[in-house]
Amino acid sequence: DTGVSQDPRHKITKRGQNVTFRCDPISEHNRLYWYRQTLGQGPEFLTYFQNEAQLEKSRLLSDRFSAERPKGSFSTLEIQRTEQGDSAMYLCASSYLTSTDTQYFGPGTRLTVL
Amino acid sequence: EDQVTQSPEALRLQEGESSSLNCSYTVSGLRGLFWYRQDPGKGPEFLFTLYSAGEEKEKERLKATLTKKESFLHITAPKPEDSATYLCAAFPYGQNFVFGPGTRLSVLP
């Protein structure tokens, strides 16, 4: 299977701890997106990369959040000093820059902050 | 502000009972309208992209249609395995996807 993969699938942490998530996109895709989804809501855009450049960040992305995509391949999303409000599903998606720009999603990382 | 709403919030159908889900969007300029299916605890799975009013796309028991302000996902003779949350997303020019909250569909045998 060559879809989008995310690791870990589940993460439980205590408030104040730092966490890091990894996303591996579909290999030929040059765009990579991060979303956050809470129960009963649709995904909310956080940030996206085109190759290694981070082109846009949502106002939802506070200073405690940082994302990287070194060498334009996999990406990491780090949350520092986690808060209970950070508990959510973090989704990664990738696309190939064309007129269609269809985004394909990974299985997500479920974060629970105690 | 770009906005996407979906109705109903939840829908229960008997197996074989056809129905439609609605997605209403308000965006400054629509580049595409996307439908995804999401099973509990999993990421959204791509279904369709629609680009212009009047366009229709079909896949098995699903048919998606698009007007200038809405999109409909028609489900014909659904089966229990069609139970999922169906998400629509508007893709405005110069911006990123705006997702609706989804419709939770349950198909009872």
Side-chain angles (χ1 to χ4, degrees):
Chain A
D1 185 87
T2 56
V4 179
S5 61
Q6 293 187 246
D7 184 68
R9 294 293 309 279
H10 304 275
K11 179 72 177 178
I12 299 174
T13 191
K14 293 183 179 179
R15 190 174 53 185
Q17 298 294 305
N18 299 343
V19 294
T20 300
F21 310 141
R22 177 179 170 126
C23 171
D24 287 88
I26 294 171
S27 58
E28 62 269 26
H29 284 184
N30 52 7
R31 282 194 167 183
L32 186 149
Y33 306 80
W34 285 100
Y35 290 84
R36 180 171 68 189
Q37 186 177 28
T38 54
L39 202 61
Q41 300 298 314
E44 295 175 293
F45 169 79
L46 292 178
T47 187
Y48 90 96
F49 294 83
Q50 183 166 307
N51 300 313
E52 65 276 8
Q54 188 173 16
L55 296 188
E56 187 175 342
K57 292 193 288 187
S58 164
R59 288 170 295 179
L60 293 174
L61 213 64
S62 77
D63 291 344
R64 297 184 296 106
F65 288 69
S66 62
E68 294 183 342
R69 193 183 182 197
K71 303 179 183 178
S73 56
F74 71 92
S75 175
T76 58
L77 177 69
E78 182 183 15
I79 309 174
Q80 296 183 325
R81 305 181 302 282
T82 52
E83 302 172 356
Q84 288 186 325
D86 296 331
S87 295
M89 174 79 89
Y90 289 84
L91 293 164
C92 174
S94 69
S95 71
Y96 186 72
L97 178 57
T98 63
S99 59
T100 62
D101 218 11
T102 299
Q103 295 182 24
Y104 295 90
F105 283 82
T109 294
R110 167 74 65 190
L111 173 67
T112 302
V113 182
L114 302 177
Chain B
E1 182 182 339
D2 297 328
Q3 191 173 10
V4 176
T5 59
Q6 291 187 247
S7 62
E9 184 176 320
L11 181 62
R12 257 191 184 186
L13 299 173
Q14 290 295 132
E15 185 173 1
E17 180 186 0
S18 302
S19 188
S20 295
L21 313 182
N22 175 267
C23 170
S24 295
Y25 61 91
T26 306
V27 298
S28 50
L30 186 71
R31 182 171 167 183
L33 190 291
F34 292 74
W35 282 97
Y36 288 84
R37 168 192 170 128
Q38 187 172 29
D39 292 303
K42 297 189 177 181
E45 175 189 344
F46 171 71
L47 293 174
F48 304 109
T49 312
L50 302 164
Y51 296 102
S52 56
E55 187 175 2
E56 297 183 353
K57 294 237 176 114
E58 284 189 69
K59 180 180 179 180
E60 296 180 356
R61 295 176 292 281
L62 301 177
K63 183 168 81 172
T65 61
L66 183 65
T67 72
K68 288 189 176 180
K69 293 194 179 297
E70 298 176 295
S71 179
F72 294 92
L73 185 65
H74 308 278
I75 303 177
T76 302
K79 298 182 177 181
E81 54 261 43
D82 295 321
S83 298
T85 294
Y86 290 86
L87 298 163
C88 73
F91 187 18
Y93 281 99
Q95 299 187 53
N96 286 288
F97 277 27
V98 179
F99 276 88
T103 293
R104 291 191 313 277
L105 174 66
S106 299
V107 182
L108 307 176

